[in-house]
Amino acid sequence: MKGKKLLFIVNPNAGNNRIKNSALKVLDNFVKAGFDVTFYSTQKKGDACNITENFGKDFSTIVCCGGDGTLNETINGVLKSGIDVELGYIPCGTTNDFAYNYKLYSNNVKAGLAIAKGSPQPLDVGIINDRAFAYVAAFGAFTEIPYQTPQKSKAAFGKLAYYSEAVKKLPHINSVRATVTCGDVTFEEDLIYGMISNSLHVGGFKMSDIMKNLKNISLHDGKLEALFVSKPKNLVEFQSIANSFLLSDDSKFVHSFQADSIKLHFDTPTPWTLDGEFGGEYSDVEFRVVSGKVVLLK
């Protein structure tokens, strides 16, 4: 019997390092809740995935503490190993979009207590080829903007702060020729941005604001939301795209839809970010949803 054995994986360098001030209290609360705790501090990229894949079978619960990248690694470890385990997440990153989606506590101690008392909730997890992502996969010109925009600018100017950062990059925008296939629908475009998500919120934007034509975006419907932005030829066309994001205007350069599977072919290998971290380069990608294989305690 695995009993109440808990693997506590901590990325000590995530976000502002605040976990260092509360890790002992979080661990103590897990012990008081009846868990036999094994603690692991990640030392390098990939550690959370490897430790979960190699040792996760010995535990009934795995709790990861770090940013969305740490969560991504842990989920990949769970799926690679095929283990039946409950997953807890204590968000300590700089953006924590996943935590916003699932209304997780930002306070580390409260988040730990919620996990100890929590009930299991099956997750929909996105898959790009053979790798999982918790809530978003993206490529293109503006992928890094939500994570590079200064926090003070976000607080003072809201969405205009993102627009300002995007305008700075306008002269350097590159496009990639892509063929998108979804069911019986296929289209070919020069794209500057693409995003496949299972999320209500990404990098400061509500998905319902970005994907205005999608009425019922859900985290648990077995579907992914897709957004593609075609290359603008001039500042006027770029303004049309910006208005689509900032003012919820329609734009012929912005395409969005829902699907349970999507295929893309690129003329050149294209880099992707997965949950805010570099996720590799691909010429061909296929997306699908895995439901119920990962269970979140909340």
Side-chain angles (χ1 to χ4, degrees):
M1 293 288 292
K2 289 189 285 188
K4 292 185 68 175
K5 296 184 67 177
L6 185 149
L7 175 60
F8 188 25
I9 302 173
V10 175
N11 177 358
N13 298 313
N16 56 12
N17 299 318
R18 58 189 170 90
I19 186 57
K20 294 180 180 179
N21 299 322
S22 56
L24 183 58
K25 180 62 176 175
V26 173
L27 191 153
D28 182 58
N29 285 337
F30 284 147
V31 174
K32 288 177 178 176
F35 288 101
D36 178 8
V37 182
T38 297
F39 179 87
Y40 185 87
S41 177
T42 62
Q43 303 299 305
K44 61 184 184 301
K45 186 177 178 62
D47 269 2
C49 179
N50 292 333
I51 197 72
T52 300
E53 182 179 5
N54 294 327
F55 301 103
K57 64 181 182 299
D58 298 325
F59 298 88
S60 59
T61 306
I62 297 176
V63 177
C64 62
C65 179
D68 289 339
T70 304
L71 174 66
N72 177 289
E73 289 190 14
T74 307
I75 287 176
N76 273 279
V78 169
L79 292 178
K80 285 182 178 180
S81 62
I83 55 178
D84 181 15
V85 66
E86 294 178 337
L87 176 65
Y89 177 44
I90 300 177
C92 291
T94 54
T95 54
N96 299 319
D97 283 324
F98 183 89
Y100 182 94
N101 285 325
Y102 288 92
K103 297 180 173 58
L104 306 182
Y105 285 107
S106 59
N107 178 280
N108 297 337
V109 176
K110 288 183 178 180
L113 288 171
I115 291 168
K117 300 175 182 178
S119 56
Q121 176 179 333
L123 299 181
D124 281 359
V125 175
I127 304 293
I128 174 173
N129 291 350
D130 60 351
R131 183 170 173 180
F133 58 96
Y135 68 99
V136 66
F139 71 90
F142 308 120
T143 304
E144 76 285 1
I145 284 177
Y147 310 100
Q148 291 184 354
T149 304
Q151 191 62 41
K152 289 183 179 179
S153 297
K154 294 179 186 178
F157 303 110
K159 291 181 181 179
L160 289 176
Y162 296 104
Y163 178 74
S164 176
E165 291 295 313
V167 168
K168 292 177 185 177
K169 297 179 180 295
L170 184 57
H172 311 290
I173 287 178
N174 292 315
S175 64
V176 59
R177 192 70 175 175
T179 302
V180 181
T181 302
C182 176
D184 296 331
V185 177
T186 299
F187 64 91
E188 187 174 355
E189 290 275 353
D190 291 321
L191 301 176
I192 62 170
Y193 180 78
M195 176 174 66
I196 312 295
S197 66
N198 181 48
S199 183
L200 304 177
H201 180 275
V202 174
F205 288 91
K206 290 183 179 179
M207 301 307 294
S208 57
D209 290 341
I210 299 174
M211 302 181 179
K212 304 172 293 299
N213 60 311
L214 306 183
K215 302 302 182 184
N216 296 304
I217 297 177
S218 170
L219 299 173
H220 310 291
D221 58 2
K223 294 185 179 297
L224 297 167
E225 283 69 49
L227 174 76
F228 299 104
V229 180
S230 299
K231 181 182 179 180
K233 297 181 176 63
N234 51 53
L235 189 59
V236 173
E237 293 184 352
F238 177 79
Q239 185 66 56
S240 171
I241 294 170
N243 288 346
S244 178
F245 287 92
L246 297 173
L247 305 175
S248 296
D249 289 348
D250 290 328
S251 173
K252 65 179 181 180
F253 303 101
V254 179
H255 321 275
S256 58
F257 56 88
Q258 288 175 309
D260 53 14
S261 64
I262 304 164
K263 295 181 180 179
L264 290 94
H265 169 75
F266 299 97
D267 285 359
T268 59
T270 300
W272 285 75
T273 62
L274 305 180
D275 298 332
E277 302 284 338
F278 177 68
E281 293 189 355
Y282 304 94
S283 294
D284 291 279
V285 291
E286 183 170 356
F287 289 89
R288 58 188 175 90
V289 181
V290 170
S291 298
K293 298 293 185 180
V294 178
V295 177
L296 180 71
L297 288 172
K298 66 181 294 290

